[in-house]
Amino acid sequence: MTSEAGEIVTERLAADGPSRTRVALLGSGDLSRELVRALQRLGAEVIAVDRYADAPLHGVVDRTVVVDLGDNDELAAAIRWLQPKYVVAGSEVVATDALTAAVDTGFTQLVPGIRGARLAADPELMRRLASEELGLPTAPFWFVGSVEELRAVAEQAGYPMSVKPVGGALGEGRSVMVRDSDIEPAWQRAVAACAPDIPPRVLAETVVEVDSEVILLAVLRDGHDGPALDFCAPIGHRSIEEPNGQLTVEFWQPHPMSSVALDAAKSITARVARALGGRGLFGVELLVHGDEVYFGGVTVRPYDAALLTLRTQRLSGFELQARGILGMATDTIMVSPGAARLIYSRRGAGTGAVTTSDSVAVVADALSVTESDVVVFGHHEGHPRRRLGLALATGPDVAVARDRAARVATVLGTLWP
């Protein structure tokens, strides 16, 4: 089937019944699978709009449309033809002028909102919004476009200083400079990890003392008296890079925080969410040192940390996003302490395909750990850091859950030796 704009379209026949609220999801990566299911359970019709015909979600959504998400004309034509009640930006590579045109019709609502959609694709503007407009505490930072600019910043700010690319794959291109001789290697490493289609640009930050890195999930929804914000229990996280280049990110919930720090974290999260506007789930990244809390970044849709909430909360981050989109009641009740380990492919590795012949036996062995669960991800195309597998575990407390998740991950990781 082909639309008036020339897109490739497939659809599943719906059973007789009332018309369903139509939601167009721009970008259909595997991580959005849980969001699609949550929306469908709540009665919505979900249309996946993406740039290729065999995206991971195309087997579970109600309809698929293939367009170039970065082309304003193509995307705008597809949205006009579909006439969705809600458009959900599930990718940073989206033509935002087309989103503005959709919102201007007065019929379609954009999630998270046009400002959130624009800033999600521009980490530099997002950091400046937080620091300069909202006045949130951040580590001193500079965005630079050349090694000479980086050298000038280092001479002004001193050491130690962290350097990372603006954009690029998770965990790639990061360095900590402690002396002048580190400047050139740090610049080259960051530039090598930058997205190939944009000019090289890096973020340099003064290294501040922190005790932990925390993600606070919050859902912004329509309440009886106006916009309402609900907070999840804080999620702690850390990254573990193995000598072979494989990356594992560990998450746990709840992360212990003082009442002062938690209040500060909620205040920062609320100000960011309300400044970006719209509705749905926001994940605000925070650096915590005692009672001090610094803003680090934000995601405007369920991301990796939300996978942990599949087992720790009554409503997962994906279900909270679905309810936020549709304007339904939410709650952020945590039902159990839990932990997760998300395994990514090695840097520059091949397909990330399962290499163990008896993968079922490996998964069965991993699931022998008490209160455990696993996810093995599928993949569509190459990426420097791809999600391979997820180890999940709950327990009577976070320490037990983290130990269990580590044991599950050790077994699961043998699928990708």
Side-chain angles (χ1 to χ4, degrees), residues 149-212:
E149 290 181 22
L150 181 60
R151 192 179 307 278
V153 166
E155 291 175 355
Q156 170 193 344
Y159 302 103
M161 177 172 288
S162 69
V163 177
K164 61 182 179 182
V166 176
L170 175 70
E172 294 293 295
R174 301 190 177 200
S175 303
V176 175
M177 305 187 305
V178 296
R179 58 183 69 87
D180 291 349
S181 59
D182 294 333
I183 295 173
E184 180 74 29
W187 168 261
Q188 294 299 336
R189 181 172 182 173
V191 168
C194 286
D197 54 343
I198 60 174
R201 196 156 179 81
V202 307
L203 169 62
E205 294 180 288
T206 297
V207 175
V208 296
E209 185 177 359
V210 298
D211 303 320
S212 55

Side-chain angles (χ1 to χ4, degrees), residues 56-316:
L57 298 188
H58 285 193
V60 297
V61 294
D62 299 280
R63 186 187 301 185
T64 65
V65 177
V66 177
V67 299
D68 181 354
L69 294 178
D71 186 294
N72 276 299
D73 292 336
E74 275 195 40
L75 183 56
I79 294 173
R80 284 196 305 270
W81 175 66
L82 292 169
Q83 294 190 321
K85 178 66 175 177
Y86 303 103
V87 171
V88 181
S91 168
E92 283 81 22
V93 189
V94 176
T96 52
D97 287 347
L99 301 182
T100 301
V103 172
D104 288 344
T105 65
F107 175 80
T108 296
Q109 297 184 49
L110 178 64
V111 178
I114 190 61
R115 193 181 198 189
R118 289 184 182 278
L119 293 183
D122 195 327
E124 183 169 350
L125 286 180
M126 183 64 242
R127 179 62 70 92
R128 297 197 185 284
L129 167 73
S131 176
E132 298 169 10
E133 181 176 328
L134 301 181
L136 300 178
T138 67
F141 66 92
W142 299 262
F143 287 90
V144 300
S146 69
V147 68
E148 292 77 16
E149 290 181 22
L150 181 60
R151 192 179 307 278
V153 166
E155 291 175 355
Q156 170 193 344
Y159 302 103
M161 177 172 288
S162 69
V163 177
K164 61 182 179 182
V166 176
L170 175 70
E172 294 293 295
R174 301 190 177 200
S175 303
V176 175
M177 305 187 305
V178 296
R179 58 183 69 87
D180 291 349
S181 59
D182 294 333
I183 295 173
E184 180 74 29
W187 168 261
Q188 294 299 336
R189 181 172 182 173
V191 168
C194 286
D197 54 343
I198 60 174
R201 196 156 179 81
V202 307
L203 169 62
E205 294 180 288
T206 297
V207 175
V208 296
E209 185 177 359
V210 298
D211 303 320
S212 55
E213 298 181 54
V214 175
I215 296 172
L216 193 59
L217 300 179
V219 58
L220 186 62
R221 57 179 174 81
D222 290 333
H224 295 299
D225 302 319
L229 195 64
D230 299 317
F231 299 96
C232 300
I235 297 172
H237 66 98
R238 69 184 184 113
S239 298
I240 309 162
E241 185 159 2
E242 306 295 342
N244 66 0
Q246 191 173 76
L247 178 70
T248 298
V249 180
E250 182 188 16
F251 302 96
W252 58 91
Q253 185 188 32
H255 177 79
M257 298 176 68
S258 71
S259 60
V260 174
L262 184 56
D263 286 345
K266 289 181 177 180
S267 175
I268 290 172
T269 300
R271 292 173 67 185
V272 170
R274 291 188 171 116
L276 295 180
R279 58 176 68 192
L281 193 76
F282 296 83
V284 176
E285 301 166 10
L286 304 161
L287 305 176
V288 181
H289 178 56
D291 291 339
E292 297 178 348
V293 181
Y294 302 90
F295 171 83
V298 63
T299 59
V300 294
R301 62 181 184 273
Y303 206 60
D304 293 347
L307 292 166
L308 172 59
T309 64
L310 292 169
R311 293 295 175 268
T312 57
Q313 297 185 175
R314 193 187 80 81
L315 297 176
S316 73

Side-chain angles (χ1 to χ4, degrees), residues 21-39:
T21 298
R22 181 171 294 175
V23 179
L25 178 60
L26 309 184
S28 50
D30 197 62
L31 195 63
S32 296
R33 189 180 302 271
E34 293 294 334
L35 174 60
V36 170
R37 289 170 174 160
L39 287 165

